[in-house]
Amino acid sequence: MKNFLNFLKSKTFLIQLGLSILVLVILVFLVLRWLGSTTNHGEFVEVPDFAKLSVMEMRKSVEDAGLRYEVLDSANYNPDYPRFSIIEQNPSAGTKVKTNRKIYFTVNPSGYKKVTVPKIIQVTKRNASSMLKAVGLDVQRVTYIDQLGKDMVYYIKFKGKDIKPGDKLPKTSKIELVCGNGTIPNSAIIKADSE
């Protein structure tokens, strides 16, 4: 133990301790300088507002700002934005970020996704309207024809053309229901022979 204490007081140990501290200080200084130059310490870029820009316009703006980008899956169609335009970005506009930061974009699809027309033939108008609303379709109008089933759906039309259950239409499409008015059609009336 006495030899160890003498070694700690020796000139050799103190020189080595001083050299070790000097090397450590130089190493920390070099690491901090390297980090400052590689992380662009104190240098920021303000994220531009990319809302409603087309994908091509967005690419140019991202490159001009010195940023990178990634396009995420398209969201649900938003009619307030042009087709194939940016509807969402992360980080948001005005945020200060480092150069070469990746910005994530959500693009507006080309239109509403398609939904399947439910089986509403021979269903009451009220139930048919509920079933259509549940899948995202709207009843624009109801017309009536001479058929015995009052308010019973006989035909479905979209833009004036007959459609069938199972057909695909864009979500929020406006369709027409053709229902019976409760009267017997003339073609169904059988005239009794009177002799």
Side-chain angles (χ1 to χ4, degrees):
M1 182 74 176
K2 191 173 185 180
N3 285 339
F4 180 69
L5 290 174
N6 285 336
F7 174 72
L8 290 179
K9 294 178 185 175
S10 72
K11 187 176 183 182
T12 306
F13 175 73
L14 293 175
I15 290 173
Q16 288 180 359
L17 182 64
L19 286 174
S20 298
I21 291 172
L22 180 65
V23 168
L24 183 64
V25 168
I26 291 171
L27 190 62
V28 167
F29 176 76
L30 291 174
V31 166
L32 289 175
R33 294 282 288 176
W34 175 77
L35 282 174
S37 66
T38 58
T39 61
N40 298 328
H41 182 68
E43 296 177 25
F44 296 99
V45 174
E46 189 171 315
V47 177
D49 186 7
F50 296 100
K52 296 189 178 184
L53 290 181
S54 71
V55 174
M56 294 305 289
E57 293 168 329
M58 173 273 297
R59 284 181 180 156
K60 183 174 180 348
S61 295
V62 165
E63 289 169 4
D64 291 346
L67 301 168
R68 296 179 298 138
Y69 72 92
E70 183 174 330
V71 176
L72 304 174
D73 285 342
S74 295
N76 289 331
Y77 180 70
N78 186 337
D80 297 335
Y81 289 80
R83 293 174 7 170
F84 302 115
S85 67
I86 306 302
I87 58 175
E88 205 173 287
Q89 70 184 64
N90 185 17
S92 59
T95 306
K96 294 191 184 291
V97 296
K98 298 281 188 185
T99 304
N100 208 28
R101 166 77 187 266
K102 190 179 274 189
I103 310 295
Y104 297 92
F105 295 107
T106 305
V107 177
N108 200 21
S110 62
Y112 289 106
K113 66 178 185 171
K114 301 235 178 198
V115 294
T116 304
V117 176
K119 295 177 182 174
I120 58 170
I121 303 295
Q122 298 290 317
V123 174
T124 64
K125 175 181 74 171
R126 184 176 177 180
N127 286 344
S129 295
S130 297
M131 292 167 71
L132 291 168
K133 194 167 282 203
V135 297
L137 298 172
D138 294 325
V139 177
Q140 182 178 25
R141 69 181 189 178
V142 179
T143 56
Y144 291 92
I145 58 172
D146 287 342
Q147 283 294 340
L148 188 57
K150 184 167 175 50
D151 287 332
M152 181 82 59
V153 177
Y154 286 96
Y155 305 104
I156 314 165
K157 293 188 176 198
F158 175 64
K159 294 185 178 176
K161 294 182 182 175
D162 286 344
I163 58 171
K164 309 180 294 295
D167 288 351
K168 300 256 187 203
L169 294 176
K171 195 172 183 177
T172 73
S173 293
K174 309 254 185 251
I175 63 172
E176 175 185 353
L177 298 179
V178 180
C179 299
N181 60 11
T183 61
I184 299 174
N186 290 335
S187 60
I189 297 175
I190 301 172
K191 296 185 179 177
D193 289 333
S194 54
E195 291 186 35

